[in-house]
């Protein structure tokens, strides 16, 4: 897997923060205390990271003049579908966008979400935020995730792969 650099508008950070407030408000009945989805006071930051990554991905595809269909960033209930559908010549890529903090040691995918037969995904697009205007990204196919290590994470079981700059992942 190869990491590539990209730039994005500084205003995306503020926009992601504002949208995360809305997303957190609308999903509080799903991510409530006592459920396995509860993320406590980290909910806003986790939502913000995901939204920022999705904004960056949309911007990247739009700048590349690629035809995409994006799922809503804020909904009353989480959507069990790809974040972005990218249309190629005779092909359709169903992409789940994952935000990665600069300090992260691992790429992670929720085990149950990955194995949910209702969620149609062909690729994961990891976007690691490096600064308020710079990020890097890498593509992983859904099949590749099946070979990653499976561990119990902070909240749920997940697949993970160590980010190793030397090997470019």
């Amino acid at each position: 897997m190869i990491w590539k650099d990209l730039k994005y508008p500084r205003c995306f950070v503020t926009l992601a923060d504002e949208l995360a407030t809305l997303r957190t408000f609308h999903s509080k009945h799903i991510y409530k205390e006592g459920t396995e989805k509860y993320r406590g006071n980290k909910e806003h930051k986790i939502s913000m990271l995901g939204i920022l990554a999705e904004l960056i991905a949309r911007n990247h595809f739009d700048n590349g003049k690629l035809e995409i269909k994006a799922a809503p960033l804020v909904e009353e209930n989480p959507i069990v579908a790809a974040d972005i559908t990218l249309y190629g010549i005779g092909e359709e890529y169903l992409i789940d966008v994952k935000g990665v903090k600069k300090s992260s040691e691992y790429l992670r995918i929720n085990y149950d979400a990955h194995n949910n037969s209702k969620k149609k995904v062909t690729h994961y697009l990891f976007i690691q935020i490096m600064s308020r205007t710079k990020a890097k990204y890498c593509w992983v196919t859904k099949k590749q995730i099946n070979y990653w290590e499976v561990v119990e994470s902070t909240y749920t079981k997940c697949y993970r792969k160590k980010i190793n700059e030397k090997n470019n992942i």
Side-chain angles (χ1 to χ4, degrees), residues 60-136:
H60 176 66
F61 292 135
D62 282 345
N63 286 341
K65 297 181 179 27
L66 299 169
E67 185 182 348
I68 65 167
K69 178 182 174 190
L73 291 170
V74 178
E75 280 288 321
E76 193 166 327
N77 292 305
I79 298 170
V80 182
D83 296 318
I84 295 175
T85 302
L86 173 64
Y87 300 98
I89 299 172
E91 293 188 82
E92 189 176 83
Y93 301 95
L94 305 172
I95 304 163
D96 195 359
V97 179
K98 297 296 180 189
V100 182
K101 294 186 293 189
K102 182 178 181 177
S103 61
S104 292
E105 293 183 57
Y106 294 93
L107 300 178
R108 290 184 175 86
I109 297 291
N110 178 285
Y111 184 89
D112 291 336
H114 176 73
N115 292 299
N116 182 347
S117 61
K118 293 178 183 172
K119 186 166 186 175
K120 303 297 182 205
V121 169
T122 60
H123 292 78
Y124 292 94
L125 176 60
F126 291 94
I127 297 183
Q128 187 172 30
I129 310 304
M130 304 310 288
S131 74
R132 292 182 69 82
T133 59
K134 294 180 183 174
K136 60 183 185 175

Side-chain angles (χ1 to χ4, degrees), residues 1-2 164-169:
M1 291 173 276
I2 306 295
N164 184 340
E165 287 297 321
K166 186 175 180 183
N167 295 331
N168 212 2
I169 183 162

